[in-house]
Amino acid sequence: MKKILIVGAVGQIGSELTMELRRIYGNDNVIASTRKSPPSETVAKSGPFEYFDVVNKQALETVCKKHNVDCIVNMAAILSAVGEQNPMMAWDINMNGLFNVLEVAREMKMEQVLVPSSIAVFGPGTPLDCAPQETVLKPSTMYGVTKVAGELVADYYVKKYGLDVRGLRYPGIISNETLPGGGTTDYAVAIYYDAVKYGKYTCFVKEDTRLPMMYMPDCLKATVDLMQADFSKLKHHSDFNVGAMSFSVKDLADSIKKYMPGFTIDYKPDFRQAIADSWPDAVDDKAAREEWGWKPSFDLDMMTQDMLKVIGEKHKKGLI
Ligand code: SER
């Protein structure tokens, strides 16, 4: 790949993926972009940046032509919780944005498109203890509906047009650089910030809520490994389960207490409880392991130590 465009480069994953891809492919070869929010200083100063709305196909095409883009990574999405507040906006950005990305990539004969999916594709009917790769996909959120449809549309472009489209079902992603925006799994990030700032956290899902989660270094590794995988070896394309950790909120709180004995937690479940309850505890990622060698590195305690260290330093410097 010579020129990669990241759509949604100021979000939780996009901001860190931009820097990782710039490290690998060179700063000038990774164009970051977003709809309206300004990028972090690191992203803005290290390479090209463009403002446009992915639902505007012409604007996307202009940017791709300007920079001779041959790979699009589409990180723009409205997540599960915000999507339930505004389902039509979620449909518009997640589906029409995706169609524009796929169409522009097809018309310009691009080398590759990366389209992330999510554990939100699962729902009632999916075995919730460990979601298989091939299973019932009947999500109850609009975010999940767009992710199921997105996987199908992406695979359609592979079969019908021979376009190289790849994607993975991210679990809840935990990170300390950019806050997640509007997802159900956001509690697993907020808990660390509140632990450092206030020594306590009020969680919006119950203590026995267990979901698949992944630390950002593993998320970046999974994304890059899939992008670099040999296309001819892939049997799946846009729907890889990728597992790393599975823990309940109580496990998470206990892990924090090991390093911050005074930490306390209480629970005030809201509408996000039903969303969390519709998602599996863990996923079976055998296909990702077999087809492109997926293997995570971080477990819960390793992640907790790193999160508390980095967020603790930010707090001392007055950055949060
Ligand atoms: N983190 C996402 C959400 O909670 C799941 O992919 O919506």
Side-chain angles (χ1 to χ4, degrees):
M1 262 124 32
K2 292 178 282 302
K3 294 274 183 183
I4 302 171
L5 172 68
I6 305 197
V7 181
V10 304
Q12 185 196 15
I13 301 176
S15 58
E16 294 202 46
L17 186 62
T18 297
M19 297 314 295
E20 180 67 359
L21 293 177
R22 283 183 176 163
R23 191 183 64 73
I24 299 170
Y25 296 101
N27 286 359
D28 293 341
N29 296 326
V30 179
I31 300 98
S33 71
T34 190
R35 196 162 47 127
K36 52 178 195 284
S37 334
S40 69
E41 231 178 76
T42 340
V43 167
K45 287 197 173 146
S46 59
F49 194 87
E50 297 280 355
Y51 282 102
F52 69 89
D53 194 332
V54 71
V55 300
N56 179 342
K57 186 178 172 220
Q58 208 176 354
L60 170 66
E61 211 171 308
T62 303
V63 167
C64 289
K65 288 195 172 140
K66 176 178 163 192
H67 294 277
N68 279 321
V69 168
D70 58 9
C71 171
I72 304 178
V73 175
N74 182 28
M75 288 290 160
I78 300 296
L79 300 185
S80 59
V82 170
E84 288 316 283
Q85 311 302 329
N86 198 337
M88 286 322 292
M89 181 175 75
W91 177 269
D92 189 31
I93 292 179
N94 299 2
M95 288 313 297
N96 295 331
L98 171 63
F99 259 118
N100 289 342
V101 164
L102 291 169
E103 270 300 281
V104 169
R106 180 184 70 80
E107 285 163 10
M108 289 181 62
K109 301 190 173 31
M110 288 195 191
E111 271 185 39
Q112 191 181 105
V113 177
L114 187 95
V115 177
S117 186
S118 160
I119 51 164
V121 294
F122 303 120
T126 304
L128 291 186
D129 52 340
C130 184
Q133 176 67 46
E134 310 299 340
T135 186
V136 173
L137 300 178
K138 291 196 171 177
S140 46
T141 62
M142 181 53 89
Y143 176 55
V145 169
T146 65
K147 287 297 169 187
V148 174
E151 287 182 357
L152 294 171
V153 167
D155 279 352
Y156 179 85
Y157 271 71
V158 176
K159 284 189 209 98
K160 174 115 178 153
Y161 302 114
L163 189 66
D164 177 345
V165 193
R166 305 162 184 218
L168 61 183
R169 292 171 178 158
Y170 290 124
I173 302 298
I174 297 160
S175 65
N176 48 50
E177 180 74 34
T178 307
L179 288 172
T184 300
T185 58
D186 292 11
Y187 66 84
V189 176
I191 193 171
Y192 288 108
Y193 280 84
D194 281 15
V196 168
K197 288 201 277 187
Y198 316 115
K200 61 179 184 183
Y201 178 61
T202 301
C203 190
F204 57 76
V205 294
K206 292 185 292 188
E207 72 170 357
D208 60 354
T209 306
R210 179 180 290 275
L211 288 173
M213 299 279 180
M214 184 183 279
Y215 196 29
M216 183 58 91
D218 276 333
C219 170
L220 297 177
K221 183 174 177 292
T223 309
V224 171
D225 284 357
L226 178 59
M227 287 175 79
Q228 293 181 339
D230 181 349
F231 187 70
S232 69
K233 301 235 164 73
L234 301 182
K235 295 189 195 95
H236 297 82
H237 294 100
S238 310
D239 59 0
F240 284 101
N241 281 356
V242 278
M245 301 176 228
S246 163
F247 51 76
S248 67
V249 189
K250 184 176 184 311
D251 297 335
L252 178 56
D254 287 346
S255 174
I256 294 175
K257 279 181 201 159
K258 281 188 202 163
Y259 311 99
M260 286 186 63
F263 174 70
T264 58
I265 183 161
D266 60 3
Y267 298 89
K268 279 204 187 110
D270 65 17
F271 73 99
R272 289 168 282 192
Q273 183 68 54
I275 301 177
D277 289 346
S278 74
W279 292 348
D281 296 359
V283 298
D284 176 358
D285 59 5
K286 200 154 66 108
R289 288 175 189 257
E290 283 175 5
E291 292 176 41
W292 47 276
W294 165 239
K295 194 170 181 286
S297 304
F298 280 84
D299 66 20
L300 176 55
D301 285 345
M302 280 165 74
M303 175 176 78
T304 294
Q305 290 177 67
D306 204 45
M307 285 292 281
L308 293 176
K309 184 167 151 275
V310 177
I311 297 169
E313 281 161 9
K314 279 192 185 181
H315 190 50
K316 265 192 218 134
K317 288 185 193 152
L319 297 172
I320 55 161

